[in-house]
Amino acid sequence: MTYVAAENRHESMPYRRVGQSGLQLPAVSLGLWHNFGDDKPFETQRAILRRAFDLGVTHFDLANNYGPPYGSAETNFGRHFRDDFRPYRDQLVISSKAGYDMWPGPYGNWGSRKYLLSSLDQSLERMGLDYVDIFYSHRPDPETPLEETMGALDTAVRSGRALYAGISSYSPEKTIEAARILREMGTPLLIHQPSYSMLNRWVEEGEPDLFAALDDVGAGSIAFSPLAQGLLTNKYLNGVPEDSRAAAGKSLDPSQLSEENLNRVRGLNSIAESRGQSLAQMAIAWVLRSRNGASPITSALIGASSVKQLEDSLAAVNNLEFTPDELRRIDEYAVDSKINLWAAALDA
């Protein structure tokens, strides 16, 4: 049956401006890191994408190596785009990234001009797109001059293969430097994609911290893993389910499920219940909260393995406000818990 998007799809989702740009993103975006490779039923993927768009999610985030196997999330998304979303292309923000291992040899990893632009061309071919809205350097490369990596992003934009340039997992200092290089080339830095959650608060550390750096350069931010790879859900309150990421060894190491961390999760779950939210909903709302009178996070990037899980997460936008007392109580449990899988990139 031909897909027709819900007419009221923009009514329940708030949209936020990205830094000082003209682009707006939904408060909650959908990432295809997991659940869109060849290991997941195609019809389940279709149902999630359709429901997300019907609920106002206009931003789908990918990367070259999402799968498994590498590239399959983009290939599968390309089929969904062709079948369902092509008429809505101008209403969608589609992003991709390159920076992690993708193909064998010296040209399939990190941040060289050759790798980034070759990868972008391959991503466009897999998805059947003329351009992506945002193209990211997925991580900093300690061996490649930052000028070369940013120059590749500039070329991507100037060539029309991308509309905007982004970076992910860059330190505040490297973010400021990357933005300066891009600005001098005439392609402003649009957005930074950091990991951020109640148990992974590195973006608030340092002088300047990442939020201050982004404010200084006029860029926005989209937080990935706001649910701490699934830890900030009710899934692990009573052990490790057989179908969980931790049991499968996918991005959540069982060692992170220490009793100390689980006690923090249980404390946060109690606060969420008092707010009338699931823990996942509160975790997403917390990432999107105001900080010093403003909301430094433009969008929270979630994953979903089912329509039910998607709907639960998106319902976070129904209550994004916190009282000072709630924030104080949350801070008793929301402490950095050494679960940042991407910390090594910050030292590059």
Side-chain angles (χ1 to χ4, degrees):
M1 181 179 295
T2 301
Y3 169 65
V4 178
E7 291 185 2
N8 64 345
R9 60 187 178 276
H10 301 120
E11 294 179 4
S12 61
M13 176 64 67
Y15 298 88
R16 297 178 168 189
R17 190 167 301 280
V18 187
Q20 296 176 3
S21 77
L23 184 68
Q24 297 183 55
L25 292 181
V28 181
S29 300
L30 181 63
L32 279 64
W33 178 20
H34 297 293
N35 306 308
F36 289 86
D38 290 347
D39 59 337
K40 298 297 181 180
F42 192 77
E43 290 304 316
T44 300
Q45 299 175 23
R46 170 175 284 150
I48 293 170
L49 288 167
R50 286 180 172 184
R51 186 59 175 153
F53 193 58
D54 282 346
L55 291 174
V57 177
T58 54
H59 176 31
F60 298 146
D61 178 78
L62 298 105
N64 57 354
N65 63 350
Y66 288 176
Y70 289 173
S72 61
E74 290 185 330
T75 299
N76 289 333
F77 176 76
R79 291 177 59 192
H80 294 299
F81 176 79
R82 181 191 66 222
D83 294 345
D84 292 336
F85 297 104
R86 187 176 297 279
Y88 305 102
R89 177 63 184 100
D90 293 338
Q91 301 177 38
L92 282 169
V93 173
I94 301 169
S95 60
S96 192
K97 317 175 202 72
Y100 283 93
D101 174 54
M102 182 59 190
W103 62 80
Y107 314 122
N109 205 343
W110 294 104
S112 72
R113 180 180 182 85
K114 181 171 178 61
Y115 171 49
L116 293 183
L117 294 178
S118 297
S119 178
L120 176 55
D121 288 340
Q122 293 177 25
S123 292
L124 293 174
E125 183 175 358
R126 281 190 290 267
M127 291 188 285
L129 300 177
D130 296 324
Y131 68 94
V132 292
D133 295 272
I134 307 169
F135 183 55
Y136 288 91
S137 165
H138 209 163
R139 62 171 171 173
D141 181 351
E143 302 297 329
T144 298
L146 194 56
E147 289 80 2
E148 179 176 339
T149 302
M150 294 304 106
L153 297 184
D154 175 69
T155 296
V157 172
R158 290 184 182 277
S159 67
R161 285 175 277 181
L163 300 186
Y164 299 97
I167 58 177
S168 180
S169 298
Y170 277 55
S171 69
E173 294 78 14
K174 274 198 168 60
T175 295
I176 292 171
E177 181 65 6
R180 180 191 64 78
I181 295 168
L182 283 170
R183 184 170 58 249
E184 291 176 354
M185 292 178 175
T187 297
L189 175 65
L190 174 79
I191 196 166
H192 187 299
Q193 187 175 130
S195 61
Y196 182 45
S197 72
M198 291 192 288
L199 300 180
N200 176 19
R201 303 183 65 165
W202 72 269
V203 298
E204 301 171 3
E205 300 170 355
E207 187 61 44
D209 65 23
L210 184 63
F211 290 145
L214 292 173
D215 185 61
D216 183 57
V217 302
S221 60
I222 178 169
F224 73 90
S225 289
L227 303 184
Q229 297 89 253
L231 186 55
L232 289 169
T233 68
N234 60 10
K235 184 175 292 186
Y236 299 103
L237 296 177
N238 300 302
V240 182
E242 292 183 0
D243 62 346
S244 66
R245 285 192 192 181
K250 289 185 176 180
S251 74
L252 181 60
D253 192 315
S255 66
Q256 296 173 348
L257 298 172
S258 65
E259 193 60 28
E260 183 179 22
N261 280 350
L262 291 178
N263 282 335
R264 290 168 180 156
V265 171
R266 295 181 186 114
L268 292 168
N269 185 63
S270 177
I271 299 170
E273 289 178 343
S274 71
R275 284 171 50 85
Q277 289 182 309
S278 68
L279 176 56
Q281 289 167 354
M282 186 181 78
I284 294 166
W286 182 88
V287 163
L288 294 167
R289 75 197 186 284
S290 294
R291 183 175 184 256
N292 299 325
S295 298
I297 295 293
T298 309
S299 183
L301 186 60
I302 65 164
S305 60
S306 67
V307 169
K308 181 180 179 181
Q309 186 183 62
L310 171 79
E311 291 174 341
D312 179 77
S313 293
L314 293 183
V317 302
N318 296 330
N319 184 10
L320 297 178
E321 301 300 322
F322 292 86
T323 67
D325 183 63
E326 286 175 330
L327 291 174
R328 179 190 59 77
R329 291 168 57 208
I330 287 171
D331 276 341
E332 294 177 10
Y333 301 100
V335 298
D336 197 276
S337 302
K338 309 304 178 186
I339 63 168
N340 185 4
L341 303 178
W342 306 270
L346 303 174
D347 297 325

